[in-house]
Amino acid sequence: MAIANHKGGVGKTGIAQGLITAAAEAGQRVLAVDMDAQGNLTRRLRAQVPAAPEDRARASLASVLQRPAVGEIERILVPCGYDDPTYSERITIAPGHLELELLSLTAGTASAEKRLLRALHGVTDAFDLVVIDCPPNLLSHQIDIAFSAADVLLLPCEAEYDAVESARRIYERVDRDRHTLNPDLAVAGMVVNRFRPNLNVHQERVAEIANVRGADHVCPTRVHELVAVKGQAEHARPLRADTTPQGREAADAFRDIHSWLRSRTATVMGATA
Ligand SMILES: Nc1ncnc2c1ncn2[C@@H]1O[C@H](COP(=O)(O)OP(=O)(O)O)[C@@H](O)[C@H]1O
Ligand SMILES: [Mg+2]
């Protein structure tokens, strides 16, 4: 599952983190693939990466994707660094690195966009869910690489005017390029993030988001604007580590989003098969 939106700061990585930890809590083995050169997911999941900068590049996805052998991603996988074995034993990370930005230099080479697919080949069998956290753009080579490897796409968005147009553009890009990039790519739908239920304008925007492709494309559980959600990023910890009522509310929301995605993914993947 690729998590993407061409806007930064809409919560792609936050949704990825919440979803990955919720999946582990549900007993799934999860592979987190950090395709963003910022490496935020890598840090937030406390991936144990080498201290020396030159070693860090070699032990990252940027190095694997230069010219991957089949299944090569295996060589860089590290466990999640949270203390609780629920996470450390079930979540594995392919760390991101700044040099992922250099991949665009080799975009024109043969089958360049299939590099992640090739690197993942066979390795994904050991996991129930693979989540690819994408950088904030839509037409880049990195996105082509991510979309070529994914079965489904999840679009985090905010309940704001620009998000409606943005969602439309993403669906249009998938419709337009699916046949060349990945004919099997399906869009699971959108998750509304930073929702504030007491704002009328947010209610209205959610209704418009549902008009983009129909209400079944919008996850019924919204992620509210919460200090607890900020906390999972700032403190690099699972939401369940926040034992306040708000922490529980946020963790329960991701439990429900994960559960919706399980059935939604089965539906949309069946439709493209
Ligand atoms: N629902 C939310 N409530 C509060 N803060 C949030 C929420 N979603 C995201 N944030 C915060 O907003 C910032 C951007 O989120 P992030 O997940 O990094 O976005 P992206 O990956 O799309 O750039 C981060 O500091 C994150 O903690
Ligand atoms: Mg991000």
Side-chain angles (χ1 to χ4, degrees):
M1 174 179 296
I3 300 189
N5 187 319
H6 52 159
K7 254 184 111 181
V10 294
K12 294 178 295 299
T13 305
I15 300 273
Q17 187 183 2
L19 188 62
I20 288 163
T21 49
E25 288 159 16
Q28 290 193 308
R29 295 157 303 165
V30 195
L31 174 58
V33 178
D34 192 352
M35 271 299 285
D36 190 347
Q38 297 176 83
N40 295 342
L41 186 64
T42 300
R43 183 193 64 81
R44 294 183 199 176
L45 290 173
R46 294 185 184 267
Q48 304 300 304
V49 296
E54 57 284 6
D55 295 341
R56 220 179 301 147
R58 258 198 306 278
S60 80
L61 197 56
S63 147
V64 166
L65 293 182
Q66 280 172 17
R67 200 178 304 151
V70 172
E72 191 182 334
I73 206 166
E74 185 89 56
R75 87 170 160 83
I76 59 155
L77 299 184
V78 288
C80 167
Y82 299 163
D83 290 337
D84 186 336
T86 302
Y87 309 104
S88 58
E89 289 178 3
R90 295 180 187 156
I91 300 171
T92 303
I93 302 143
H97 188 275
L98 183 60
E99 288 181 11
L100 280 166
E101 288 191 7
L102 302 178
L103 287 176
S104 57
L105 300 174
T106 48
T109 55
S111 301
E113 75 283 358
K114 303 283 185 237
R115 286 184 271 189
L116 179 58
L117 187 65
R118 188 176 160 84
L120 284 168
H121 190 85
V123 179
T124 51
D125 296 348
F127 299 94
D128 302 299
L129 174 68
V130 181
V131 173
I132 307 170
D133 187 33
C134 292
N137 45 54
L138 188 58
L139 283 176
S140 70
H141 183 51
Q142 274 166 278
I143 292 293
D144 286 355
I145 289 175
F147 284 15
S148 297
D151 294 315
V152 285
L153 195 55
L154 178 68
L155 313 173
C157 64
E158 293 179 309
E160 291 180 356
Y161 186 86
D162 290 343
V164 182
E165 289 308 309
S166 159
R168 254 188 253 286
R169 282 193 294 269
I170 298 170
Y171 274 95
E172 280 165 12
R173 158 131 224 239
V174 174
D175 288 343
R176 195 190 65 203
D177 294 337
R178 179 190 276 134
H179 66 285
T180 48
L181 276 182
N182 178 359
D184 298 327
L185 182 63
V187 185
M190 295 166 272
V191 176
V192 177
N193 186 32
R194 294 178 179 279
F195 186 69
R196 293 170 65 184
N198 52 345
L199 288 184
N200 282 340
V201 65
H202 274 197
Q203 302 281 3
E204 288 163 21
R205 293 300 177 233
V206 169
E208 288 166 22
I209 287 168
N211 279 334
V212 173
R213 289 286 159 124
D216 53 339
H217 279 256
V218 187
C219 179
T221 305
R222 293 154 201 162
V223 182
H224 291 195
E225 172 91 39
L226 295 172
V227 173
V229 178
K230 184 129 202 109
Q232 71 165 350
E234 293 303 305
H235 306 299
R237 67 183 186 193
L239 285 166
R240 295 267 175 224
D242 178 344
T243 54
T244 65
Q246 203 193 78
R248 236 183 343 267
E249 177 193 333
D252 287 352
F254 277 99
R255 175 198 61 202
D256 296 345
I257 291 166
H258 173 251
S259 162
W260 176 79
L261 272 169
R262 265 180 149 171
S263 64
R264 179 74 188 145
T265 299
T267 306
V268 296
M269 282 173 66
T272 60

